[in-house]
Amino acid sequence: RIRKAGYDPGGGNFIVLTEKETHLDAVYMHLAHTPRVRARETVETDERIGSVGDTGNAWGCHLHFELWTAPGWYAGGEPFDPLPRLRRWNALPRLR
């Protein structure tokens, strides 16, 4: 579910989603365009939510991705290294 989407001078165009099962926030910043999604909308895995860009305080085109513990991004949670979790997620079998 989208928690917040908009523009921030530092992060540029951004989207914050809250995962249904874990309540973790996934934050995507420096997107190329104004987010197509709005707060309280739901999205599915594999649904495109934006394009990599260089908006805000960015040096070159890239995606700034963060994971935050509950209660979330700038709501009392804390950022943590997403790599171990992403590796586990990527190892799961996919239905096609």
Side-chain angles (χ1 to χ4, degrees), residues 48-95:
R48 184 175 178 178
I49 59 172
S51 299
V52 173
D54 61 357
T55 59
N57 187 13
W59 291 56
C61 189
H62 70 284
L63 175 67
H64 182 128
F65 174 74
E66 296 179 353
L67 283 178
W68 284 65
T69 61
W73 183 69
Y74 291 109
E78 299 204 5
F80 66 94
D81 182 0
L83 188 57
R85 190 166 186 279
L86 292 172
R87 284 185 173 144
R88 285 191 308 272
W89 183 79
N90 194 45
L92 295 173
R94 300 281 185 254
L95 298 175

Side-chain angles (χ1 to χ4, degrees), residues 32-62:
H33 308 286
T34 302
R36 299 183 260 186
V37 294
R38 302 281 176 249
R40 295 180 297 284
E41 289 181 7
T42 58
V43 293
E44 300 294 327
T45 301
D46 293 337
E47 184 176 338
R48 184 175 178 178
I49 59 172
S51 299
V52 173
D54 61 357
T55 59
N57 187 13
W59 291 56
C61 189
H62 70 284

